[in-house]
Amino acid sequence: MENVSKTKMVEAPEGIAGEGFFATRFDSVIGLARANSLWPLPFATSCCGIEFMATMASHYDLARFGSERVSFSPRQADMLLVMGTISKKMAPILRQVYEQMSEPRWVIAVGACASSGGIFDTYSVLQGIDKVIPVDVYVPGCPPRPEQIVDGVMHLQELVKNESSRRRNSDEYKELLASYNIE
Amino acid sequence: MALDTLEIQNKLQEAFGQKVNHFRTEYGVFVLEAEANSIVEILQFMKEDKTLNFHFLTDLCGVHYPENENSEQFCVVYHLHNWFTNTRIRVKTFISGTQPELPSITSLFESANWMERETYDFYGIIFTGHPNLVRILNMDEMVSFPLRKEFPMEDSGRTDKDDRFFGRTINNC
């Protein structure tokens, strides 16, 4: 018994298994693959970024969820993590980073400032990044603990797993991007 | 070899007469008020005079006094430092609210460039003769001068924040 690996594998999607074959939906396989290899792009401007560093480090180890490789180029990233206060002057830059990511792309707003402006209810601060880009998951907290960030990532994994592979071509999605004036 | 405040006062009054006034010491720093139109000459004298030797511009900033009468609505404060005798001094100059204009001192101190841009950015004070007077900290699209008291601190575009949850009522904000 000592030789049994403690490695926890992800569960196979619903399907029909037989001797030497396994049949399931194409969407579920793609969803499974995507959800367990989300490459994060950290956009950290303040204290939430420090919490994210703890999340990435050995103790909390976001790599367990397939987010081993932190991408510092938007072009190779799937998951944009916006952490910290975004000033209005920074908003066009954040938007440009989002536009440079290739589809499919997801966004997590980490912390109160990224979600709503937080305590900075003032003329110079963007009142939530959803004013300039669409957001999939909001993580509350000021700053959130690494557990909360991991929880946010796991919620996103659920979204990714269940996303239809046609969603990005749907009229609804195009309408959403159009409402943000993103091509 | 300390620089005596009385000596500074005498030197300046001798050179500029009534253009420099209200000499006093506040919070341990010698303060004087200078006339806006002659500010460049006064600061140049303070910088180049062999005894005064205030050769370092520590800070330059604006203040808005909404209670003052219109001719003294805005104030620009210059903090100067003499490194040799370690003497600091503050020069205040008042300008009008309807036409907040002041000559730039970028010809005297290169470091005044960004500080004057900052003061313009927050108070809308025009520094005539400045080589590039554009916003420096706030976004370019901004139309207000946010540290003027008539502009509210809050973002006027906010939609999802209820004042009651932030401890604000009509009476306490």
Side-chain angles (χ1 to χ4, degrees):
Chain A
M1 281 303 277
E2 305 88 70
N3 291 331
V4 173
S5 167
K6 281 182 178 169
T7 311
K8 200 183 162 201
M9 302 280 283
V10 291
E11 278 170 34
E14 244 176 71
I16 300 158
E19 207 168 327
F21 79 92
F22 178 73
T24 184
R25 289 169 62 235
F26 200 40
D27 270 8
S28 336
V29 179
I30 290 178
L32 189 75
R34 280 176 176 173
N36 293 290
S37 66
L38 285 169
W39 286 9
L41 167 59
F43 193 97
T45 54
S46 46
C47 49
C48 291
I50 309 292
E51 295 298 313
F52 176 73
M53 290 169 209
T55 314
M56 282 309 292
S58 54
H59 193 90
Y60 292 97
D61 196 15
L62 197 63
R64 293 176 293 157
F65 304 92
S67 303
E68 176 71 66
R69 196 250 189 203
V70 182
S71 176
F72 291 102
S73 157
R75 298 184 202 285
Q76 281 94 42
D78 306 301
M79 167 172 69
L80 176 63
L81 287 136
V82 183
M83 299 163 282
T85 323
I86 304 296
S87 66
K88 283 181 183 166
K89 203 171 181 176
M90 182 79 90
I93 296 150
L94 176 65
R95 210 183 134 94
Q96 191 176 19
V97 167
Y98 180 78
E99 282 174 349
Q100 285 175 346
M101 291 171 74
S102 50
E103 293 280 15
R105 53 192 168 181
W106 292 275
V107 178
I108 303 185
V110 176
C113 293
S115 304
S116 73
I119 59 165
F120 301 103
D121 185 8
T122 178
Y123 58 88
S124 59
V125 173
L126 192 67
Q127 301 296 298
I129 58 164
D130 52 8
K131 294 267 188 286
V132 289
I133 56 173
V135 177
D136 294 278
V137 173
Y138 299 85
V139 179
C142 186
R145 282 190 60 85
E147 286 95 328
Q148 289 172 272
I149 300 178
V150 169
D151 189 50
V153 172
M154 288 171 76
H155 269 102
L156 187 70
Q157 283 186 316
E158 281 309 307
L159 284 179
V160 174
K161 256 182 224 167
N162 298 316
E163 184 178 312
S164 149
S165 58
R166 292 178 204 280
R167 180 188 167 226
R168 306 274 160 175
N169 297 319
S170 69
D171 287 339
E172 198 185 9
Y173 185 69
K174 280 176 188 155
E175 218 168 88
L176 172 75
L177 287 191
S179 71
Y180 284 98
N181 280 322
I182 294 170
E183 290 281 305
Chain B
M1 184 186 80
L3 189 58
D4 192 44
T5 51
L6 202 64
E7 194 183 344
I8 302 170
Q9 181 171 351
N10 288 340
K11 276 234 164 215
L12 284 170
Q13 275 178 332
E14 197 181 304
F16 296 102
Q18 281 308 302
K19 287 177 180 172
V20 283
N21 46 52
H22 289 91
F23 292 89
R24 75 260 188 195
T25 299
E26 276 177 0
Y27 304 105
V29 178
F30 193 52
V31 189
L32 63 104
E33 282 170 24
E35 194 170 288
N37 294 328
S38 325
I39 191 71
V40 178
E41 294 85 69
I42 293 167
L43 291 180
Q44 187 166 18
F45 178 79
M46 291 170 77
K47 184 189 178 189
E48 287 167 4
D49 185 86
K50 287 284 173 285
T51 13
L52 298 182
N53 216 355
F54 288 107
H55 67 132
F56 185 78
L57 180 71
T58 311
D59 193 19
L60 186 166
C61 65
V63 189
H64 185 197
Y65 292 104
E67 317 279 285
N68 282 10
E69 52 193 285
N70 193 39
S71 60
E72 297 192 336
Q73 277 277 303
F74 293 104
C75 176
V76 174
V77 188
Y78 303 87
H79 293 240
L80 300 171
H81 192 179
N82 175 341
W83 286 3
F84 302 97
T85 58
N86 194 17
T87 317
R88 291 177 189 273
I89 195 165
R90 204 157 61 224
V91 182
K92 297 178 91 171
T93 175
F94 285 89
I95 45 179
S96 107
T98 38
Q99 202 186 3
E101 276 188 16
L102 199 64
S104 167
I105 58 156
T106 42
S107 54
L108 287 177
F109 298 100
E110 286 288 338
S111 63
N113 189 318
W114 282 16
M115 294 195 250
E116 286 181 353
R117 277 177 66 184
E118 186 198 15
T119 310
Y120 163 72
D121 194 352
F122 284 105
Y123 296 93
I125 294 169
I126 312 286
F127 292 90
T128 48
H130 189 287
N132 181 31
L133 196 66
V134 293
R135 287 189 187 271
I136 184 166
L137 293 171
N138 286 305
M139 56 176 192
D140 297 325
E141 295 79 20
M142 189 178 257
V143 286
S144 64
F145 297 110
L147 289 192
R148 286 189 182 185
K149 305 298 181 207
E150 67 257 35
F151 294 107
M153 281 293 284
E154 290 84 16
D155 176 14
S156 53
R158 72 206 169 100
T159 48
D160 55 346
K161 285 186 181 171
D162 191 324
D163 276 349
R164 288 172 303 165
F165 301 136
F166 288 80
R168 280 197 213 100
T169 57
I170 296 160
N171 298 323
N172 73 354
C173 62

